[in-house]
Amino acid sequence: MHLMFLGAPGAGKGTQAKILEQKLDALQVSTGDILRKSIEAKSELGLKAKGYMDAGHLVPDDLMIELIGEKFAEPEFPKNWIMDGFPRTVAQAEAFDSLLTRLNEKLDYVVEVDVDRDLLVKRITGRRVCKNCQAPYHVTFNPSKADGICDYCGSTDIYQRADDKEDIVINRLKVYDEQTAPLINYYKAKNLLFRMDGNAPVEAVTNLILDIVSKS
Ligand code: AMP
């Protein structure tokens, strides 16, 4: 199972990937999470990426392509994966195609999660994340079961990302329109694209995706 999510920030890619990781026995590969961990660890990649991320810009393609190449080369990298946040540019998508060809693997589904703009802003600015396991929550739409405690790992460190504040969010949406949205046609042309109405509640969207994956 090789699945990729496409969609603007706040579309619910991370939320769905986290749920499907368990249901499909596949690893969620979130480049945003990998970068945030690198920043916390003060690694060379983290130091290079931080300024771009804080401003709501994309991290340069060469760094991202190298990061994904290294991830796929890890000895414990699993057979099944879900891409969440990569690729985000046509150059990244082309490099990813080459990587998969080299590894003799192929992409099975690209799920585009489409959400109305005003709802995206509400979702991102209300988003909270578990610092320990990166599980995503929303203060009103998807709170943790017990207040302030992560459903997945029990951590009490649930926080708001710096780039989820409203002024940065506007820039991230612009970057999506200009640099990532062209990937919709890129994958449509390869007959891999499935479009989802992501305005629906979390569980309904999960069921739609599971439907596609089980039918094809
Ligand atoms: P996310 O957690 O997916 O919303 O990503 C947070 C931030 O990480 C983005 O706004 C970018 O600055 C950076 N980032 C994550 N994935 C990529 C990527 N594939 N290409 C460039 N920048 C990325």
Side-chain angles (χ1 to χ4, degrees):
M1 165 65 49
H2 298 160
L3 195 147
M4 175 190 286
F5 277 110
L6 262 187
K13 303 183 298 292
T15 300
Q16 293 299 334
K18 191 96 195 156
I19 295 169
L20 292 170
E21 186 171 48
Q22 298 187 342
K23 292 195 187 284
L24 299 175
D25 189 26
L27 177 74
Q28 173 195 16
V29 181
S30 161
T31 41
D33 286 351
I34 297 172
L35 292 169
R36 280 183 287 278
K37 279 188 199 146
S38 304
I39 291 175
E40 210 153 293
K42 297 192 167 51
S43 73
E44 202 185 322
L45 171 67
L47 294 175
K48 284 183 185 158
K50 189 174 184 321
Y52 297 104
M53 290 175 74
D54 285 350
H57 295 303
L58 292 184
V59 174
D61 286 336
D62 54 342
L63 289 179
M64 297 311 301
I65 291 164
E66 192 183 332
L67 179 160
I68 284 296
E70 285 172 1
K71 187 84 199 154
F72 273 70
E74 285 174 2
E76 67 276 19
F77 193 75
K79 196 165 142 279
N80 298 327
W81 40 260
I82 302 170
M83 300 307 291
D84 164 19
F86 183 95
R88 263 177 153 101
T89 64
V90 171
Q92 291 180 17
E94 288 171 350
F96 193 52
D97 282 347
S98 307
L99 175 70
L100 294 183
T101 305
R102 236 180 10 257
L103 297 174
N104 209 12
E105 289 194 16
K106 70 174 188 49
L107 191 53
D108 299 313
Y109 311 95
V110 177
V111 175
E112 182 208 345
V113 189
D114 189 41
V115 174
D116 296 344
R117 220 14 87 100
D118 51 343
L119 183 57
L120 282 178
V121 175
K122 276 190 205 140
R123 280 194 183 168
I124 312 178
T125 51
R127 175 157 66 184
R128 301 292 181 270
V129 185
C130 171
K131 190 126 210 176
N132 180 50
C133 76
Q134 280 74 49
Y137 297 98
H138 190 282
V139 285
T140 43
F141 305 143
N142 180 31
S144 56
K145 290 188 185 104
D147 192 26
I149 302 174
C150 177
D151 297 347
Y152 292 86
C153 73
S155 163
T156 51
D157 200 354
I158 294 179
Y159 78 114
Q160 182 179 34
R161 283 166 40 180
D163 63 345
D164 279 350
K165 309 242 159 84
E166 194 157 355
D167 48 338
I168 304 292
V169 167
I170 303 302
N171 196 33
R172 289 169 65 203
L173 291 171
K174 189 165 166 268
V175 166
Y176 174 79
D177 289 339
E178 290 172 358
Q179 301 194 56
T180 310
L183 293 182
I184 296 170
N185 281 335
Y186 182 91
Y187 288 112
K188 206 184 263 175
K190 291 178 183 287
N191 272 329
L192 288 172
L193 196 82
F194 293 82
R195 199 184 152 275
M196 294 284 99
D197 179 2
N199 296 293
V202 172
E203 206 185 324
V205 177
T206 308
N207 288 335
L208 286 173
I209 300 169
L210 288 174
D211 252 13
I212 291 173
V213 171
S214 66
K215 269 189 206 137
S216 338

